[in-house]
Amino acid sequence: MREPRHAVPAVDFQGVGRTYGGGRTGLGEVVAVDHADLKIAPGEFVCVLGPSGCGKSTLLNMVAGLDAPSKGRVLFEGAEVKGVNTKVGYMPQESKLFPWLTAEKNIEFPLRARNVPGTERKQLVSAYLAKVGLKGFENAYPHQLSGGMQKRTSLARTLVYRPSLLLMDEPFSALDSQTKMVMHEELLQLWEQEKCTTLFITHDLVEAITLADRVVVMTRRPSRIAEIVDIPLSRPRDVYAIYEQAGFDEIYDHLLRLVKKEMRYE
Ligand SMILES: Nc1ncnc2c1ncn2[C@@H]1O[C@H](COP(=O)(O)OP(=O)(O)OP(=O)(O)O)[C@@H](O)[C@H]1O
Ligand SMILES: [Mg+2]
């Protein structure tokens, strides 16, 4: 953790549970999240691992205020999330750029929605285009960009209004392993610069170790937190040499054991 323990957590899941269906919905009841207690410190990078369907996206949706807990509370910077939380940057699992807007206009979109004045908008868009290495592609439409460039545009669109919390739901899962490493490097650089608390969902153990201060491993549904694993690797991290870092193998084996256990469906 990078902040003193007494700081108000950026995110605080207090006895959170989320059940879907039942009642008049005609669907059987699904306990997605049974119980989650988790405090995330300001500036911390936390990754969440867990089997498909265990409620990882549900947890992010509750922080973003797009979903609400059935029990317990979700606090953002000390206040209970009620309704859409406009202070967070959210890259949802099915994050899509607007196909009819250029890279530049996509990045500008959230600033327009917030009525940021024109000159400031221009400066911010230009700065964030540069930060994610997209100078020269301002006027390209999403279909003219590679998968990695589309993710970069998406990341710039999420960061441009400088949210204090970044929620990322498997943002790089569709990318090839080299592009993924480039994205990791860029994301970590941005995170160091912006000091943005980050909650990042992944199924990729190496990605979690590369990025996180702590990794939260969820059980299968009805899910609970199986274990929270500290990643004590030094920073700044060399994403291309992460396997060579002392301690990597032990952390990887430990995470793999935890994840494997939760993958068995009996
Ligand atoms: N709006 C909804 N209505 C009904 N059930 C839902 C809804 N959203 C999620 N669920 C159910 O809650 C459970 C958790 O879903 P969630 O999308 O959070 O899983 P996940 O851990 O993100 O999975 P994955 O790794 O596949 O993305 C699933 O069983 C899903 O069917
Ligand atoms: Mg999901």
Side-chain angles (χ1 to χ4, degrees), residues 90-125:
Y90 190 12
M91 273 177 82
Q93 200 161 356
E94 67 291 351
S95 165
K96 292 270 189 304
L97 295 169
F98 301 120
W100 60 90
L101 293 180
T102 61
E104 189 175 53
K105 296 285 179 205
N106 262 287
I107 298 171
E108 192 187 15
F109 187 85
L111 298 174
R112 279 187 181 275
R114 285 171 170 74
N115 297 320
V116 175
T119 17
E120 197 184 338
R121 270 202 324 260
K122 237 178 139 93
Q123 281 167 0
L124 280 167
V125 171

Side-chain angles (χ1 to χ4, degrees), residues 18-21 27-28 30-33 48 50-61 67 93 169-170 201-203 218 221 223:
R18 180 65 172 105
T19 301
Y20 291 108
L27 296 167
V30 174
V31 182
V33 181
V48 182
S52 181
C54 75
K56 301 179 296 298
S57 298
T58 300
L59 289 176
L60 285 202
N61 284 335
D67 198 349
Q93 200 161 356
D169 198 348
E170 303 187 36
I201 293 173
T202 179
H203 287 282
M218 306 286 296
R221 210 176 49 241
S223 70

Side-chain angles (χ1 to χ4, degrees), residues 42-245:
E44 203 181 8
F45 202 126
V46 171
C47 282
V48 182
L49 285 173
S52 181
C54 75
K56 301 179 296 298
S57 298
T58 300
L59 289 176
L60 285 202
N61 284 335
M62 290 192 280
V63 182
L66 303 173
D67 198 349
S70 318
K71 63 170 195 194
R73 306 193 304 162
V74 179
L75 274 63
F76 170 72
E77 294 178 348
E80 189 169 355
V81 178
K82 288 196 168 147
V84 176
N85 184 353
T86 53
K87 294 194 188 136
V88 302
Y90 190 12
M91 273 177 82
Q93 200 161 356
E94 67 291 351
S95 165
K96 292 270 189 304
L97 295 169
F98 301 120
W100 60 90
L101 293 180
T102 61
E104 189 175 53
K105 296 285 179 205
N106 262 287
I107 298 171
E108 192 187 15
F109 187 85
L111 298 174
R112 279 187 181 275
R114 285 171 170 74
N115 297 320
V116 175
T119 17
E120 197 184 338
R121 270 202 324 260
K122 237 178 139 93
Q123 281 167 0
L124 280 167
V125 171
S126 164
Y128 277 83
L129 265 161
K131 274 180 199 260
V132 297
L134 278 174
K135 276 266 175 249
F137 291 89
E138 293 85 348
N139 297 319
Y141 286 89
H143 75 274
Q144 297 168 319
L145 299 171
S146 71
M149 289 157 106
Q150 291 178 25
K151 285 292 167 193
R152 288 199 194 119
T153 312
S154 219
L155 184 60
R157 184 177 65 177
T158 312
L159 288 174
V160 74
Y161 57 93
R162 288 156 298 162
S164 60
L165 174 70
L166 183 57
L167 303 170
M168 303 182 87
D169 198 348
E170 303 187 36
F172 309 140
S173 58
L175 300 177
D176 66 85
S177 55
Q178 282 92 52
T179 310
K180 220 181 201 187
M181 284 194 275
V182 174
M183 292 304 300
H184 290 160
E185 189 178 34
E186 289 179 4
L187 176 61
L188 285 179
Q189 273 169 11
L190 284 166
W191 174 73
E192 300 277 354
Q193 285 167 19
E194 316 262 326
K195 309 267 176 262
C196 189
T197 314
T198 306
L199 184 53
F200 186 110
I201 293 173
T202 179
H203 287 282
D204 178 339
L205 274 55
V206 176
E207 180 167 63
I209 299 170
T210 304
L211 299 174
D213 293 316
R214 290 188 297 158
V215 177
V216 176
V217 183
M218 306 286 296
T219 69
R220 57 184 180 263
R221 210 176 49 241
S223 70
R224 294 180 153 253
I225 293 173
E227 197 171 314
I228 300 175
V229 179
D230 279 322
I231 311 295
L233 305 183
S234 59
R235 295 194 188 267
R237 292 182 186 161
D238 179 354
V239 305
Y240 304 100
I242 202 80
Y243 299 92
E244 292 157 26
Q245 290 235 4

